[in-house]
Coordinates of all heavy atoms in Angstrom, one line a residue:
M33 N 19.6 -76.3 170.9 CA 20.2 -76.6 169.7 C 20.9 -75.4 169.2 O 20.3 -74.3 169.0 CB 19.2 -77.1 168.6 CG 19.8 -77.5 167.3 SD 18.6 -77.9 166.1 CE 17.7 -79.2 166.9
G55 N 15.2 -78.0 156.5 CA 14.3 -79.2 156.6 C 14.8 -80.3 157.4 O 14.1 -80.9 158.2
F56 N 16.1 -80.5 157.3 CA 16.8 -81.5 158.1 C 16.7 -81.2 159.6 O 16.4 -82.0 160.4 CB 18.3 -81.6 157.7 CG 19.1 -82.5 158.5 CD1 19.0 -83.9 158.6 CD2 20.1 -81.9 159.3 CE1 19.7 -84.7 159.4 CE2 20.9 -82.7 160.1 CZ 20.7 -84.0 160.2
A57 N 16.9 -79.9 159.9 CA 16.9 -79.5 161.3 C 15.6 -79.7 161.9 O 15.4 -80.1 163.1 CB 17.4 -78.0 161.4
R58 N 14.5 -79.4 161.2 CA 13.1 -79.6 161.7 C 12.9 -81.0 162.0 O 12.1 -81.3 163.0 CB 12.1 -79.0 160.7 CG 12.0 -77.5 160.6 CD 10.8 -77.0 159.9 NE 10.8 -77.4 158.5 CZ 11.3 -76.7 157.5 NH1 11.9 -75.5 157.8 NH2 11.3 -77.1 156.3
R59 N 13.4 -81.9 161.2 CA 13.1 -83.3 161.4 C 13.8 -83.9 162.7 O 13.5 -84.9 163.2 CB 13.6 -84.2 160.2 CG 12.8 -84.0 158.9 CD 11.5 -84.7 159.0 NE 11.6 -86.1 159.2 CZ 11.8 -87.0 158.2 NH1 11.8 -86.6 157.0 NH2 11.9 -88.3 158.6
L60 N 14.8 -83.1 163.2 CA 15.5 -83.5 164.4 C 14.9 -83.0 165.7 O 15.4 -83.4 166.8 CB 17.0 -82.9 164.3 CG 17.8 -83.4 163.1 CD1 19.1 -82.6 163.1 CD2 18.0 -84.9 163.1
E61 N 13.8 -82.3 165.6 CA 13.2 -81.8 166.9 C 12.7 -82.9 167.7 O 11.9 -83.8 167.2 CB 12.1 -80.8 166.5 CG 12.6 -79.6 165.8 CD 11.5 -78.6 165.4 OE1 10.4 -78.9 165.7 OE2 11.9 -77.6 164.8
G62 N 13.3 -83.0 169.0 CA 12.9 -84.1 169.9 C 13.7 -85.3 169.6 O 14.2 -85.5 168.5
G63 N 14.0 -86.1 170.6 CA 14.8 -87.3 170.4 C 16.3 -87.0 170.4 O 16.7 -85.9 170.7
G64 N 17.0 -88.0 170.0 CA 18.4 -87.9 169.8 C 19.3 -88.3 171.0 O 20.4 -88.0 171.1
A65 N 18.7 -89.1 171.9 CA 19.5 -89.6 173.0 C 20.5 -90.6 172.4 O 20.3 -91.1 171.2 CB 18.6 -90.4 174.0
P66 N 21.6 -90.9 173.1 CA 22.6 -91.7 172.5 C 22.1 -93.1 172.0 O 22.7 -93.7 171.0 CB 23.6 -91.9 173.6 CG 23.5 -90.6 174.4 CD 22.0 -90.3 174.4
D67 N 21.1 -93.7 172.7 CA 20.6 -95.0 172.2 C 19.2 -94.9 171.6 O 18.5 -95.9 171.5 CB 20.5 -95.9 173.5 CG 19.6 -95.3 174.6 OD1 19.1 -94.1 174.4 OD2 19.3 -96.0 175.6
D68 N 18.8 -93.7 171.0 CA 17.6 -93.6 170.3 C 17.8 -94.0 168.9 O 18.0 -93.3 168.0 CB 17.2 -92.1 170.4 CG 15.8 -91.8 169.7 OD1 15.3 -92.7 169.1 OD2 15.3 -90.7 169.8
E69 N 17.6 -95.3 168.7 CA 18.0 -95.9 167.3 C 17.1 -95.4 166.2 O 17.7 -95.2 165.1 CB 17.9 -97.5 167.4 CG 18.9 -98.1 168.4 CD 20.4 -97.5 168.1 OE1 20.7 -97.4 166.9 OE2 21.0 -97.2 169.1
P70 N 15.8 -95.2 166.4 CA 15.0 -94.6 165.2 C 15.6 -93.3 164.8 O 15.6 -92.9 163.6 CB 13.6 -94.5 165.8 CG 13.5 -95.6 166.8 CD 14.9 -95.6 167.4
F71 N 16.0 -92.4 165.8 CA 16.5 -91.1 165.4 C 17.8 -91.3 164.7 O 18.0 -90.6 163.6 CB 16.8 -90.4 166.8 CG 17.4 -89.0 166.6 CD1 16.6 -87.9 166.5 CD2 18.8 -88.9 166.5 CE1 17.3 -86.6 166.3 CE2 19.4 -87.6 166.3 CZ 18.6 -86.5 166.2
W72 N 18.7 -92.1 165.1 CA 20.0 -92.2 164.5 C 19.9 -93.0 163.1 O 20.7 -92.9 162.2 CB 21.0 -92.9 165.4 CG 21.3 -92.0 166.6 CD1 20.9 -92.2 167.8 CD2 21.9 -90.7 166.5 NE1 21.3 -91.1 168.6 CE2 21.9 -90.2 167.8 CE3 22.5 -90.0 165.5 CZ2 22.5 -89.0 168.2 CZ3 23.2 -88.8 165.8 CH2 23.1 -88.3 167.1
E73 N 18.9 -93.8 163.0 CA 18.6 -94.4 161.7 C 18.2 -93.4 160.7 O 18.6 -93.5 159.5 CB 17.5 -95.5 161.8 CG 17.2 -96.3 160.6 CD 16.2 -97.4 160.7 OE1 15.7 -97.6 161.9 OE2 15.8 -97.9 159.7
F74 N 17.4 -92.4 161.1 CA 17.1 -91.3 160.2 C 18.4 -90.5 159.8 O 18.6 -90.1 158.7 CB 16.1 -90.3 160.9 CG 16.0 -89.0 160.2 CD1 15.3 -88.9 159.0 CD2 16.5 -87.8 160.8 CE1 15.2 -87.6 158.3 CE2 16.5 -86.6 160.1 CZ 15.8 -86.5 158.9
V75 N 19.3 -90.3 160.8 CA 20.5 -89.6 160.5 C 21.3 -90.4 159.5 O 21.9 -89.9 158.5 CB 21.3 -89.3 161.8 CG1 22.7 -88.8 161.4 CG2 20.6 -88.4 162.7
R76 N 21.4 -91.7 159.7 CA 22.1 -92.6 158.7 C 21.6 -92.5 157.4 O 22.3 -92.5 156.4 CB 22.0 -94.1 159.2 CG 22.3 -95.1 158.2 CD 23.8 -95.3 157.9 NE 24.1 -96.3 156.9 CZ 25.0 -97.3 157.1 NH1 25.7 -97.3 158.2 NH2 25.1 -98.2 156.1
G77 N 20.3 -92.2 157.2 CA 19.7 -92.1 155.9 C 20.1 -90.9 155.1 O 19.8 -90.7 154.0
Q78 N 20.8 -89.9 155.8 CA 21.3 -88.7 155.1 C 22.6 -89.0 154.4 O 23.1 -88.1 153.7 CB 21.6 -87.6 156.2 CG 20.4 -87.3 157.1 CD 19.2 -87.1 156.3 OE1 19.1 -86.2 155.5 NE2 18.1 -87.8 156.6
F79 N 23.1 -90.2 154.5 CA 24.4 -90.6 153.9 C 24.2 -91.6 152.7 O 23.2 -92.2 152.7 CB 25.4 -91.2 154.9 CG 25.8 -90.3 156.0 CD1 25.0 -90.1 157.1 CD2 27.0 -89.6 155.9 CE1 25.4 -89.2 158.1 CE2 27.4 -88.8 157.0 CZ 26.6 -88.6 158.1
F337 N 25.3 -78.8 159.2 CA 24.8 -80.2 159.6 C 25.1 -80.5 161.0 O 24.3 -81.0 161.7 CB 25.5 -81.2 158.6 CG 25.1 -82.6 158.8 CD1 23.9 -83.1 158.2 CD2 25.8 -83.5 159.6 CE1 23.5 -84.4 158.3 CE2 25.4 -84.8 159.7 CZ 24.2 -85.3 159.1
H338 N 26.3 -80.2 161.5 CA 26.6 -80.5 162.9 C 26.0 -79.6 163.9 O 25.6 -80.0 165.0 CB 28.2 -80.5 163.1 CG 28.9 -81.7 162.7 ND1 29.1 -82.2 161.4 CD2 29.3 -82.8 163.5 CE1 29.6 -83.4 161.5 NE2 29.8 -83.8 162.7
L339 N 25.8 -78.3 163.6 CA 25.1 -77.4 164.4 C 23.6 -77.8 164.5 O 23.0 -77.7 165.6 CB 25.2 -76.0 163.9 CG 26.6 -75.3 164.1 CD1 26.6 -73.9 163.5 CD2 26.9 -75.2 165.6
A340 N 23.1 -78.3 163.5 CA 21.7 -78.8 163.5 C 21.6 -80.0 164.4 O 20.7 -80.2 165.2 CB 21.2 -79.1 162.1
L341 N 22.5 -81.0 164.3 CA 22.5 -82.1 165.1 C 22.8 -81.8 166.6 O 22.2 -82.3 167.5 CB 23.5 -83.2 164.6 CG 23.1 -84.2 163.6 CD1 24.3 -85.0 163.1 CD2 22.0 -85.1 164.1
G342 N 23.7 -80.8 166.8 CA 24.2 -80.5 168.1 C 25.4 -81.2 168.5 O 25.4 -82.4 168.5
P343 N 26.5 -80.5 168.7 CA 27.8 -81.1 169.1 C 27.7 -82.1 170.2 O 28.3 -83.1 170.2 CB 28.8 -79.9 169.4 CG 28.2 -78.8 168.6 CD 26.7 -79.0 168.6
Q344 N 27.0 -81.7 171.3 CA 26.9 -82.6 172.5 C 26.1 -83.9 172.1 O 26.4 -85.0 172.6 CB 26.2 -81.8 173.6 CG 27.0 -80.7 174.2 CD 26.3 -80.0 175.3 OE1 25.2 -80.3 175.7 NE2 27.0 -79.0 175.9
R345 N 25.1 -83.7 171.3 CA 24.3 -84.9 170.8 C 25.2 -85.8 170.0 O 25.2 -87.1 170.2 CB 23.1 -84.5 170.1 CG 22.1 -85.6 169.8 CD 20.7 -85.1 169.6 NE 20.5 -84.0 168.6 CZ 19.4 -83.4 168.3 NH1 18.3 -83.8 169.0 NH2 19.3 -82.5 167.4
V346 N 26.0 -85.2 169.1 CA 26.9 -86.0 168.3 C 27.9 -86.8 169.2 O 28.2 -88.0 169.0 CB 27.6 -85.2 167.2 CG1 28.7 -85.9 166.5 CG2 26.6 -84.6 166.2
E347 N 28.6 -86.1 170.1 CA 29.5 -86.7 170.9 C 28.9 -87.8 171.8 O 29.6 -88.8 172.0 CB 30.2 -85.6 171.8 CG 31.2 -86.2 172.8 CD 32.0 -85.2 173.6 OE1 31.9 -84.0 173.3 OE2 32.6 -85.6 174.7
G348 N 27.7 -87.5 172.3 CA 27.1 -88.6 173.1 C 26.9 -89.8 172.3 O 27.0 -91.0 172.8
R349 N 26.4 -89.7 171.0 CA 26.2 -90.9 170.2 C 27.5 -91.6 169.9 O 27.6 -92.9 170.0 CB 25.5 -90.5 168.9 CG 25.3 -91.7 167.9 CD 24.4 -92.8 168.4 NE 24.1 -93.7 167.4 CZ 23.4 -94.8 167.6 NH1 22.9 -95.1 168.8 NH2 23.1 -95.6 166.6
I350 N 28.5 -90.8 169.5 CA 29.8 -91.5 169.3 C 30.4 -92.2 170.5 O 30.9 -93.3 170.3 CB 30.8 -90.3 168.8 CG1 30.4 -89.9 167.4 CG2 32.3 -90.9 168.8 CD1 31.3 -88.6 166.9
H352 N 28.7 -93.4 172.9 CA 27.8 -94.6 173.2 C 28.2 -95.8 172.4 O 28.4 -96.9 172.9 CB 26.3 -94.2 173.0 CG 25.4 -95.4 173.0 ND1 25.1 -96.1 174.1 CD2 24.7 -96.0 172.0 CE1 24.3 -97.0 173.9 NE2 24.0 -97.0 172.6
L353 N 28.4 -95.5 171.1 CA 28.8 -96.6 170.1 C 30.2 -97.1 170.5 O 30.5 -98.4 170.5 CB 28.8 -96.1 168.7 CG 27.4 -95.8 168.2 CD1 27.5 -95.2 166.8 CD2 26.5 -97.1 168.1
H422 N 31.0 -93.4 164.3 CA 30.3 -92.1 164.1 C 28.8 -92.2 164.1 O 28.3 -93.4 164.2 CB 30.9 -91.5 162.8 CG 31.0 -90.0 162.8 ND1 30.1 -89.2 163.6 CD2 31.7 -89.1 162.2 CE1 30.4 -87.9 163.4 NE2 31.4 -87.8 162.6
V423 N 28.2 -91.1 163.8 CA 26.7 -91.1 163.9 C 26.0 -92.0 162.9 O 24.8 -92.4 163.2 CB 26.2 -89.6 163.7 CG1 26.7 -88.8 164.9 CG2 26.6 -89.0 162.4
Y424 N 26.6 -92.4 161.9 CA 26.0 -93.3 160.9 C 26.1 -94.7 161.2 O 25.6 -95.6 160.5 CB 26.5 -93.0 159.5 CG 28.0 -93.0 159.4 CD1 28.8 -94.1 159.5 CD2 28.7 -91.8 159.4 CE1 30.2 -94.1 159.5 CE2 30.1 -91.7 159.3 CZ 30.8 -92.9 159.4 OH 32.2 -92.8 159.5
N425 N 26.9 -95.1 162.2 CA 27.1 -96.5 162.6 C 25.9 -96.9 163.5 O 25.2 -96.1 164.1 CB 28.4 -96.7 163.3 CG 29.6 -96.5 162.4 OD1 30.5 -95.8 162.7 ND2 29.6 -97.3 161.3
S426 N 25.7 -98.2 163.6 CA 24.6 -98.8 164.5 C 25.2 -99.9 165.4 O 26.2 -100.5 165.1 CB 23.5 -99.4 163.6 OG 24.0 -100.5 162.9
P427 N 24.5 -100.2 166.5 CA 24.9 -101.3 167.3 C 24.9 -102.6 166.6 O 25.9 -103.4 166.9 CB 23.8 -101.3 168.4 CG 23.4 -99.9 168.5 CD 23.4 -99.4 167.1

Side-chain angles (χ1 to χ4, degrees):
M33 183 186 302
F56 171 68
R58 284 195 297 271
R59 292 286 302 274
L60 298 175
E61 295 175 1
D67 59 352
D68 184 352
E69 295 311 317
F71 178 92
W72 295 109
E73 185 177 354
F74 166 72
V75 173
R76 162 74 179 231
Q78 308 307 303
F79 295 82
F337 184 84
H338 273 78
L339 286 174
L341 274 175
Q344 293 181 355
R345 189 155 54 182
V346 170
E347 180 177 342
R349 176 61 171 180
I350 290 173
H352 171 66
L353 293 173
H422 211 331
V423 295
Y424 47 75
N425 293 126
S426 69

